Amino acid sequence: MAEENGQSRRYPQNLQGLLQLAVDAGSATEEPAPAEPMSEERKAWLREALADVAKGQMDEVEQMKTCLAVLNQEGKGEVELDEDDDEAKESAFEMLSELCENLDNARDLMVLGGLELCVSRYLSHSQSGLRWRAAELIASCAQNMPQLQTHLLGIGTLPKLLQLTDSDPHPTVRVKALYALSCLVREQEAGLQAFLSHDGFSVLMRGMQSENEKLRTKSAFLLLNLLTSHPEHKDTVVSMGMVQQLVSVLRTPHSQFHEHVVGTLCCLVEDCPQGLRDCRDPALGLEELLKQRSVELRGKEENEEELEFCKHLRSMCFQRQQSDDNGMDR
């Protein structure tokens, strides 16, 4: 029976078979198995499976080269032909985005010059469908890849993404550009410094004030993430009038992204005296706003976290203030 479950089992000679072999080897027994010499048949199977994996990787590089050849083509000057070209280019971008979910492929795309092409030509393309697909590809490549993040920063990607996020007329382009932007600045010190030097916090603030729900949500989330990860920048955003702007956003019709807005205010009053003073300013009317919002959210399961943020912010700003005032009276 052990022999039947072991070396006699036939596996497909491809990547799936190789992965199945690894899974079976790891789960066959909890006890350490005695070392046995690998049969010649197993050695031959393993060599062929690994060769197939390497061949598959080479095939993917060829696919990327084909996509880049399509993207490198210039327009023909005739409307119908250019429309066909744009459709082909959109398909090429979609294939590249799928291929570059593999980190090795993303690195190969950089070596092949694909990222420079995205940044230099397609982030500023006249067709919105190509602009947002270029931004999406940049995001796919930059995620968790410091080498590619550094490369993208070095070829001037971040200012272009900020501009698209801030002012592109097409809503999908703005959302995808912000997604790519977040991949360059989160957990990336050089990216954060470039973001600061180009007034990135103001871009996020304007994003939260836009009519695009996805852009508002993602802008608020990124702002909260950056201030939580880098509290040293709280004073900078407070000096920009961020507290007043965030409270103004909270006064708009309620939306799910308000959870991130209240969370950001909580962040700005912790260990930030000016942020606390700004929130306590009677002219803002924040205490009454938080009371009203808490009543509206009570009993709504989907808003539990926002409700907790409201309670926490009230406690830090106003209940503590009452205690301080009482202490001074005594």
Side-chain angles (χ1 to χ4, degrees):
M1 180 66 70
E3 177 67 20
E4 185 175 322
N5 290 332
Q7 291 207 358
S8 64
R9 176 170 180 178
R10 299 288 181 179
Y11 294 90
Q13 292 182 349
N14 56 22
L15 179 58
Q16 184 177 358
L18 188 62
L19 292 174
Q20 187 61 51
L21 171 62
V23 170
D24 290 348
S27 60
T29 176
E30 294 183 1
E31 298 295 327
E36 296 180 4
M38 184 179 292
S39 69
E40 290 302 317
E41 181 183 4
R42 179 58 59 85
K43 288 179 182 177
W45 176 87
L46 191 58
R47 280 195 295 269
E48 289 183 34
L50 289 171
D52 284 343
V53 172
K55 182 175 181 295
Q57 184 68 26
M58 288 302 297
D59 287 345
E60 291 184 350
V61 171
E62 291 304 314
Q63 290 179 55
M64 288 195 292
K65 287 180 179 179
T66 301
C67 290
L68 290 177
V70 172
L71 294 176
N72 269 306
Q73 292 175 350
E74 298 289 347
K76 297 180 175 63
E78 298 179 29
V79 174
E80 289 186 5
L81 291 178
D82 281 350
E83 287 178 355
D84 291 340
D85 283 347
D86 289 344
E87 288 182 8
K89 290 173 180 178
E90 288 177 1
S91 297
F93 268 122
E94 288 167 6
M95 180 173 286
L96 286 172
S97 290
E98 183 176 340
L99 289 170
C100 289
E101 290 177 2
N102 178 312
L103 300 184
D104 290 332
N105 286 341
R107 191 177 293 107
D108 287 336
L109 183 67
M110 175 187 70
V111 174
L112 292 169
L115 294 179
E116 284 94 337
L117 183 63
C118 280
V119 173
S120 64
R121 184 182 302 180
Y122 285 99
L123 287 183
S124 56
H125 199 278
S126 60
Q127 295 298 318
S128 61
L130 293 174
R131 292 199 302 279
W132 74 251
R133 285 176 173 85
E136 184 175 60
L137 178 57
I138 289 169
S140 296
C141 292
Q143 275 191 322
N144 306 315
M145 286 284 284
Q147 181 186 5
L148 270 66
Q149 292 166 358
T150 300
H151 174 74
L152 285 163
L153 292 169
I155 59 176
T157 308
L158 189 138
K160 293 185 177 183
L161 291 174
L162 279 171
Q163 183 178 10
L164 290 176
T165 301
D166 204 21
S167 58
D168 194 276
H170 197 282
T172 303
V173 177
R174 298 182 71 184
V175 171
K176 295 295 185 180
L178 180 58
Y179 172 41
L181 181 67
S182 70
C183 293
L184 288 179
V185 301
R186 294 174 62 182
E187 312 303 329
Q188 167 57 265
E189 185 60 32
L192 179 62
Q193 292 306 315
F195 173 84
L196 294 172
S197 68
H198 289 88
D199 199 19
F201 282 124
S202 293
V203 173
L204 296 185
M205 188 67 251
R206 289 190 289 272
M208 286 188 287
Q209 296 169 331
S210 77
E211 296 180 358
N212 184 330
E213 179 72 14
K214 285 187 177 180
L215 186 65
R216 291 200 302 263
T217 300
K218 293 180 182 297
S219 296
F221 179 79
L222 181 57
L223 177 62
L224 176 56
N225 178 274
L226 291 177
L227 291 177
T228 302
S229 302
H230 301 277
E232 67 274 16
H233 298 300
K234 290 181 186 181
D235 289 334
T236 299
V237 298
V238 167
S239 68
M240 295 164 51
M242 187 66 76
V243 168
Q244 293 81 356
Q245 297 278 7
L246 291 172
V247 173
S248 176
V249 168
L250 281 182
R251 293 191 180 281
T252 61
H254 185 257
S255 173
Q256 292 299 318
F257 87 98
H258 283 183
E259 173 189 319
H260 304 313
V261 176
V262 184
T264 302
L265 285 169
C266 288
C267 181
L268 289 178
V269 300
E270 291 179 349
D271 302 316
C272 183
Q274 187 57 52
L276 182 60
R277 285 193 292 270
D278 285 353
C279 282
R280 287 175 169 177
D281 183 358
L284 275 185
L286 179 58
E287 183 175 17
E288 186 60 33
L289 177 60
L290 292 174
K291 287 179 183 178
Q292 293 174 357
R293 183 59 53 85
S294 297
V295 171
E296 294 169 6
L297 299 180
R298 196 168 295 131
K300 296 181 179 179
E301 186 176 347
E302 68 274 16
N303 298 124
E304 285 181 358
E305 192 160 357
E306 183 182 349
L307 179 59
E308 288 304 311
F309 278 142
C310 286
K311 291 178 179 178
H312 186 53
L313 187 58
R314 281 184 63 196
S315 173
M316 288 191 296
C317 293
F318 304 110
Q319 293 175 12
R320 186 180 300 174
Q321 181 182 31
Q322 293 172 3
S323 298
D324 292 346
D325 291 344
N326 291 337
M328 291 176 64
D329 291 340
R330 287 196 298 271

